[in-house]
Amino acid sequence: MSQFQQIPPQPEDCLHCEHRFQRLFCNLPPEALEEFDHIGVLVRHGRGAKLFSEGDVARNVLVVCTGQVKLSTNSRDGKTMIVKIAVPGDLLGLNAALADAPHEVTAETIEPCTIKTVRQDQFVELLHRHGVASMNAAQSLSTEYWTVFRDARRLALSTTAGGRLAQLLLEWARAASCGGAELKFTLALTHEEIANMAGTSRETVTRLLNKFRREAWIRVHGSRVTILDESALDRLTA
């Protein structure tokens, strides 16, 4: 069982979150946001905490407030495919909760995270009472569909490993920037995990990242990655 602790009452709440206007679901009217804040429990998880597993009964809907969460699925022979890296503002377990079905993926933190957890029945009641919340949830599901489609397209149509890796880096940087000019993000995955998502080998990922650094397309400082030449990476994805 993962280790976690509830965060004690803090002066800040969802109504005063400075990021909520940039996040799809959390951008709610004050009345709906106040109710969401009331029914949710804010929990801090360490790195490697399993939030739920593939096949588990969906009991909660979770919102990533800070940190990153790895979503993965396993084959019968034990192979693992990373489906997505969830970032702040993403809803986890929404599809399973609304369909009253088991979780289709496993969710595991890849860095310390703060997660807002809401019971399934209370979340559904919130959607019934607030039309904007229902619309935001629908848009979140639509975004999930687009993400899956985009990832499948990248793996199927990109002819080079460099193009697939460049696309990943750009996607992560653009998501983290929330529309800002500076494209930078925390890279919490191992090269092996990145290779899993890019459909290539760990050695190729290491070689390509080194090349991107030499070409001054990216800058890497510890786990922080900054995109220096967005157009150069874009050309690789074409």
Side-chain angles (χ1 to χ4, degrees), residues 66-93:
T66 65
Q68 300 180 80
V69 178
K70 176 175 66 177
L71 305 181
S72 62
T73 184
N74 294 297
S75 67
R76 290 184 178 180
D77 59 358
K79 293 181 179 178
T80 299
M81 180 179 72
I82 300 174
V83 178
K84 177 184 176 181
I85 302 301
V87 297
D90 283 346
L91 290 175
L92 307 180

Side-chain angles (χ1 to χ4, degrees), residues 14-188:
C14 289
L15 279 168
H16 298 93
C17 175
E18 61 180 313
H19 304 294
R20 69 181 179 92
F21 296 106
Q22 288 82 41
R23 295 176 179 176
L24 186 56
F25 179 77
C26 300
N27 190 14
L28 296 168
E31 181 183 356
L33 196 63
E34 186 175 5
E35 181 177 343
F36 175 69
D37 193 45
H38 176 71
I39 63 178
V41 178
L42 202 60
V43 179
R44 180 176 292 121
H45 297 266
R47 186 181 187 278
K50 193 166 288 186
L51 305 179
F52 54 78
S53 296
E54 183 177 355
D56 284 353
V57 175
R59 295 187 173 89
N60 303 299
V61 175
L62 301 87
V63 179
V64 182
C65 297
T66 65
Q68 300 180 80
V69 178
K70 176 175 66 177
L71 305 181
S72 62
T73 184
N74 294 297
S75 67
R76 290 184 178 180
D77 59 358
K79 293 181 179 178
T80 299
M81 180 179 72
I82 300 174
V83 178
K84 177 184 176 181
I85 302 301
V87 297
D90 283 346
L91 290 175
L92 307 180
L94 177 61
N95 182 63
L98 294 182
D100 199 20
H103 289 293
E104 65 273 29
V105 295
T106 294
E108 181 180 354
T109 62
I110 57 176
E111 62 180 349
C113 293
T114 305
I115 306 291
K116 190 90 167 185
T117 302
V118 182
R119 275 179 21 205
Q120 176 194 17
D121 58 338
Q122 292 181 318
F123 187 85
V124 172
E125 289 172 7
L126 175 77
L127 300 187
H128 280 304
R129 281 192 291 270
H130 300 281
V132 175
S134 294
M135 179 60 68
N136 287 5
Q139 290 179 327
S140 296
L141 286 175
S142 176
T143 299
E144 284 189 18
Y145 163 79
W146 172 246
T147 298
V148 172
F149 171 79
R150 182 191 61 204
D151 291 346
R153 186 178 186 276
R154 180 185 66 238
L155 290 174
L157 299 182
S158 182
T159 57
T160 68
R164 295 192 294 273
L165 179 59
Q167 185 66 48
L168 276 176
L169 297 179
L170 289 170
E171 288 170 7
W172 292 334
R174 288 164 179 166
S177 72
C178 294
E182 191 171 25
L183 295 177
K184 62 181 180 180
F185 62 99
T186 300
L187 184 60

Side-chain angles (χ1 to χ4, degrees), residues 195-206:
N196 180 292
M197 297 190 72
T200 186
S201 67
R202 178 186 60 78
E203 293 80 9
T204 299
V205 166
T206 300

